[in-house]
Amino acid sequence: MKRPLNLEDIQGNVTRAYGRFSFPFARYFFLNIASGEEGRKFVDKVRRQVTTSARWPSKQELEAGVVGPEKPQCTMNIAFTFFGMLKLEIPSRTMQGMPFEFIEGMKARAFMLGDRDQTETSEEAGNWDKHWDPIWQGNRAGDGNDANNVHMWISLNAQLKTPGTDEPVDALEEQTNLLRQWCKESNGGVKILKGNSRDGKAEFQSASAVFEDVHGVKMPTPKEHFGFTDGIGDPVFKGQYPDDRMKTAVVGRGKLMGNGWEPLETGEFIMGHPDESQELPPCARPFEFSHNGTFMAYRKLHENVGSFSQVVEEEAESYATQMDVPLDEARETLMAKMCGRWSDGVPLSKVSTYAEWRAFGKKMGFDVDPDAEHPVAEAGRAAKAQIDYIRSPEASDFRYADDMAGLKCPVGAHMRRVNTRDYLDPVNAVGVDPETGVQPENKDATTALNRRRRVLRRGLPYGPSNFDSKDDNTEQGVAMMLMGTSLFRQFEFVQQQWIQYGLDFHEGNNTCPMLGNHEHHKRHTIASDPATGKPPYVMNKLKTFVECRGGDYFFIPSMTSLRMIAMGIVDPT
């Protein structure tokens, strides 16, 4: 049964990853509410500027007379922590209906998430978050100082001002000044918290795409600072896209059923709609308050680019010797085997060897001709070819049940952990048949054990807008937002069981080679096809490449809910 969504009631960052819609810049603000009355007035001003999920007509649709909201130069969205909702004086009966993990907050769940070393002594444990940004050290510190608590999150996402530059449109600064003005008008009732950097001075968390300089022309890339193409396999759910686009968008990004790929149920990501169990997700009362809202985990993930480059280089030298391949091939192969995709986004499950990958890139037009008469235009053509590919079904249409032994894509690779696809189907056979040397394949495998663990991923890289910084000390990484109707069942489960643990992948205590904590477990096993006659390779020098620098859990209300909050008329009876 088809259930249309009221897109005008859903905040736009829930249904859209803005970076994929030509918004390569972002600013994330974290605010404190001292006065409930002033806080509600502030929310009332913000809600009138909030970007909804209402579809923006394309240029062709506008020419055909289709009516719809104009695509903004800069978007605005808002969310609240549990304590922020308390400060806005939302009734206790409503707050008691909130999920326990949201009430506790991310800091209290650091052990589970792998953000806190469980081997620290009690004496050391009091300062376990010393590597976090000051704003997050002060948040939920338990010292009774509510003035340091993060209550509200506001995001601004902006388009590019001029093609060929790395500057945002003027609207980004205009919207920033508008927030500052509203805070000033609150007479201390609402303030922007500083401390979004190690020096404690940053007023907001700035983020942007990483740009590539081509003969003086700046081109935004879909890559993060390690050099991997990111943001490809985000989940697709019912009502997210119009029917004509859904047919292609759902391939590889929905759920794999007997009839092929289908969109996930809306209730996995937006409250008030049936989820994959065909039930309405539990929500706080009144129903209108929770309906069309969702929850978000904001995580600032610092990338130790220097350590990553050093480990890959050292392991590549060993791999090149053991496998008798050139160093550049060893380097690219190891990165792909850690991630599950080649650096340009091509999945190992479809293009499994270095030679095949180079041939595939040439066929698809990813390679830049160094002798081209117009190098900038040639670079632009190659970049467009890559973008067109990663946005196509081809980049997401693959399975893991046909590669249970991980001969193409290692079973412990990052991608197989964050989205297991059909790998966990209980009928699947594990390993290679010792007599035939062939992997048994369950052609009827489905994603039944995976479809309740999906999360929407939003965010952008932060730090330098180029690839020049190759050390651990540079402030660079990804400002990540993960959304779903159950942070416990979706985000926390994936983080704890699949990223920081390996049992479901027959990897024991081995953690994710990219996101995992490697203080104690430093291995990543790469299987080798028996037909090649070459042995498997075990990376054993892994370091912790990604560190959480802070964050919290937020509730993203619907437009209806925002109006109720602003007017102070939330009534749970």
Side-chain angles (χ1 to χ4, degrees), residues 4-260:
L5 297 182
N6 181 1
L7 296 174
E8 289 80 6
D9 194 44
I10 302 169
Q11 291 203 50
N13 57 336
V14 178
T15 60
R16 297 186 186 96
Y18 287 132
R20 293 170 61 97
F21 288 82
S22 303
F23 290 85
F25 304 96
R27 290 178 180 176
Y28 305 114
F29 294 83
F30 303 94
L31 300 93
N32 177 272
I33 302 171
S35 163
E37 181 180 358
E38 291 297 330
R40 289 191 295 275
K41 291 179 182 178
F42 185 91
V43 172
D44 191 49
K45 294 173 182 177
V46 172
R47 74 176 183 87
R48 300 172 190 274
Q49 300 290 327
V50 165
T51 306
T52 73
S53 293
R55 292 179 181 129
W56 304 319
S58 64
K59 183 179 179 181
Q60 294 78 6
E61 289 174 328
L62 290 173
E63 292 174 351
V66 175
V67 178
E70 182 180 354
K71 184 177 180 179
Q73 291 288 299
C74 181
T75 67
M76 182 182 292
N77 294 102
I78 186 171
F80 306 97
T81 63
F82 176 78
F83 284 115
M85 296 171 73
L86 284 179
K87 294 295 291 189
L88 290 168
E89 300 174 344
I90 292 171
S92 297
R93 286 186 62 184
T94 297
M95 300 303 294
Q96 289 168 358
M98 287 291 171
F100 67 92
E101 69 274 13
F102 172 69
I103 295 173
E104 288 188 347
M106 198 179 82
K107 180 180 281 188
R109 304 177 72 76
F111 275 132
M112 175 194 298
L113 300 175
D115 297 336
R116 181 174 176 178
D117 189 350
Q118 296 186 8
T119 65
E120 287 184 338
T121 66
S122 57
E123 183 178 345
E124 297 167 328
N127 196 29
W128 68 268
D129 61 350
K130 57 184 178 295
H131 61 292
W132 283 23
D133 286 353
I135 188 173
W136 300 115
Q137 291 184 43
N139 181 51
R140 294 185 184 247
D143 57 3
N145 187 0
D146 186 64
N148 291 332
N149 281 337
V150 172
H151 293 149
M152 189 173 3
W153 168 91
I154 293 178
S155 69
L156 304 178
N157 287 73
Q159 296 192 51
L160 190 65
K161 184 175 184 178
T162 307
T165 70
D166 58 358
E167 297 179 7
V169 292
D170 295 337
L172 179 60
E173 187 62 24
E174 292 168 1
Q175 294 286 67
T176 298
N177 288 331
L178 191 60
L179 291 178
R180 293 172 179 143
Q181 178 63 31
W182 290 341
C183 286
K184 184 177 180 181
E185 292 171 356
S186 76
N187 298 312
V190 177
K191 67 176 180 180
I192 297 172
L193 294 173
K194 295 184 178 182
N196 290 284
S197 57
R198 300 299 291 152
D199 61 13
K201 298 179 180 179
E203 182 185 22
F204 50 80
Q205 179 60 61
S206 181
S208 79
V210 182
F211 286 74
E212 197 166 35
D213 192 313
V214 181
H215 297 278
V217 176
K218 305 289 181 63
M219 293 185 178
T221 74
K223 296 178 181 290
E224 44 70 64
H225 291 284
F226 288 147
F228 291 102
T229 299
D230 199 12
I232 300 175
D234 207 44
V236 169
F237 57 88
K238 291 181 178 179
Q240 185 176 8
Y241 298 115
D243 292 343
D244 56 343
R245 185 176 177 190
M246 182 65 79
K247 293 177 181 177
T248 55
V250 72
V251 177
R253 296 165 59 194
K255 56 186 178 184
L256 184 61
M257 305 299 289
N259 296 322

Side-chain angles (χ1 to χ4, degrees), residues 277-320:
S277 68
Q278 294 305 305
E279 297 178 345
L280 295 180
C283 63
R285 300 297 176 185
F287 178 78
E288 294 79 10
F289 176 81
S290 298
H291 184 235
N292 285 334
T294 193
F295 293 97
M296 174 184 79
Y298 173 88
R299 290 171 67 77
K300 181 177 180 179
L301 301 178
H302 172 77
E303 293 183 341
N304 292 314
V305 177
S307 291
F308 181 80
S309 300
Q310 175 193 1
V311 168
V312 169
E313 199 65 33
E314 290 179 4
E315 293 279 9
E317 292 179 4
S318 175
Y319 185 88

Side-chain angles (χ1 to χ4, degrees), residues 265 267-268 272-282 452:
E265 293 292 342
E268 291 296 310
H273 303 269
D275 59 22
E276 283 293 329
S277 68
Q278 294 305 305
E279 297 178 345
L280 295 180
R452 304 219 69 198

Side-chain angles (χ1 to χ4, degrees), residues 274-429:
D275 59 22
E276 283 293 329
S277 68
Q278 294 305 305
E279 297 178 345
L280 295 180
C283 63
R285 300 297 176 185
F287 178 78
E288 294 79 10
F289 176 81
S290 298
H291 184 235
N292 285 334
T294 193
F295 293 97
M296 174 184 79
Y298 173 88
R299 290 171 67 77
K300 181 177 180 179
L301 301 178
H302 172 77
E303 293 183 341
N304 292 314
V305 177
S307 291
F308 181 80
S309 300
Q310 175 193 1
V311 168
V312 169
E313 199 65 33
E314 290 179 4
E315 293 279 9
E317 292 179 4
S318 175
Y319 185 88
T321 301
Q322 185 168 317
M323 299 298 177
D324 192 24
V325 296
L327 185 59
D328 58 344
E329 177 178 342
R331 186 184 303 111
E332 286 285 352
T333 300
L334 284 181
M335 287 180 62
K337 295 289 187 179
M338 293 172 71
C339 175
R341 290 185 187 272
W342 297 94
S343 56
D344 56 8
V346 177
L348 273 175
S349 295
K350 302 191 75 168
V351 181
S352 58
T353 70
Y354 179 82
E356 291 172 345
W357 173 59
R358 294 308 302 264
F360 183 82
K362 185 175 182 180
K363 181 184 80 171
M364 299 298 293
F366 299 166
D367 296 344
V368 176
D369 181 359
D371 300 320
E373 183 177 355
H374 303 287
V376 174
E378 170 63 8
R381 178 207 59 75
K384 183 178 184 304
Q386 185 188 354
I387 294 295
D388 289 345
Y389 171 76
I390 64 176
R391 290 183 176 178
S392 72
E394 177 76 12
S396 300
D397 188 13
F398 57 90
R399 310 164 56 224
Y400 293 135
D402 61 351
D403 184 29
M404 293 299 296
L407 303 185
K408 292 186 289 186
C409 178
V411 293
H414 169 69
M415 275 182 48
R416 290 186 78 142
R417 291 172 179 265
V418 296
N419 181 7
T420 61
R421 296 180 180 255
D422 58 353
Y423 174 70
L424 296 179
D425 189 300
V427 182
N428 290 342

Side-chain angles (χ1 to χ4, degrees), residues 307-559:
S307 291
F308 181 80
S309 300
Q310 175 193 1
V311 168
V312 169
E313 199 65 33
E314 290 179 4
E315 293 279 9
E317 292 179 4
S318 175
Y319 185 88
T321 301
Q322 185 168 317
M323 299 298 177
D324 192 24
V325 296
L327 185 59
D328 58 344
E329 177 178 342
R331 186 184 303 111
E332 286 285 352
T333 300
L334 284 181
M335 287 180 62
K337 295 289 187 179
M338 293 172 71
C339 175
R341 290 185 187 272
W342 297 94
S343 56
D344 56 8
V346 177
L348 273 175
S349 295
K350 302 191 75 168
V351 181
S352 58
T353 70
Y354 179 82
E356 291 172 345
W357 173 59
R358 294 308 302 264
F360 183 82
K362 185 175 182 180
K363 181 184 80 171
M364 299 298 293
F366 299 166
D367 296 344
V368 176
D369 181 359
D371 300 320
E373 183 177 355
H374 303 287
V376 174
E378 170 63 8
R381 178 207 59 75
K384 183 178 184 304
Q386 185 188 354
I387 294 295
D388 289 345
Y389 171 76
I390 64 176
R391 290 183 176 178
S392 72
E394 177 76 12
S396 300
D397 188 13
F398 57 90
R399 310 164 56 224
Y400 293 135
D402 61 351
D403 184 29
M404 293 299 296
L407 303 185
K408 292 186 289 186
C409 178
V411 293
H414 169 69
M415 275 182 48
R416 290 186 78 142
R417 291 172 179 265
V418 296
N419 181 7
T420 61
R421 296 180 180 255
D422 58 353
Y423 174 70
L424 296 179
D425 189 300
V427 182
N428 290 342
V430 179
V432 176
D433 188 314
E435 295 184 2
T436 64
V438 177
Q439 298 182 87
E441 178 183 355
N442 175 16
K443 295 183 178 180
D444 297 322
T446 71
T447 57
L449 294 185
N450 173 62
R451 63 195 192 207
R452 304 219 69 198
R453 309 297 185 187
R454 303 301 306 281
V455 292
L456 298 174
R457 294 187 305 128
R458 304 289 182 257
L460 284 169
Y462 70 87
S465 60
N466 52 51
F467 294 104
D468 293 346
S469 298
K470 299 294 184 183
D471 61 79
D472 290 352
N473 296 323
T474 299
E475 281 285 315
Q476 57 188 348
V478 177
M480 180 71 75
M481 284 130 276
L482 305 115
M483 301 177 188
T485 53
S486 172
L487 292 173
F488 174 74
R489 173 173 51 80
Q490 294 165 286
F491 160 65
E492 288 191 342
F493 180 93
V494 172
Q495 179 72 17
Q496 181 193 36
Q497 295 295 323
W498 291 350
I499 291 178
Q500 300 293 2
Y501 197 42
L503 196 59
D504 282 344
F505 311 97
H506 307 281
E507 287 279 294
N509 289 326
N510 288 353
T511 65
C512 174
M514 292 177 61
L515 294 187
N517 186 306
H518 299 298
E519 294 299 317
H520 306 290
H521 305 286
K522 306 176 183 296
R523 298 187 304 274
H524 174 52
T525 303
I526 301 172
S528 183
D529 190 337
T532 66
K534 295 182 178 180
Y537 184 82
V538 179
M539 300 180 72
N540 57 18
K541 302 176 182 178
L542 298 184
K543 297 181 179 180
T544 299
F545 303 127
V546 176
E547 300 175 6
C548 181
R549 290 291 171 85
D552 207 344
Y553 292 162
F554 293 82
F555 172 61
I556 303 178
S558 67
M559 299 304 294

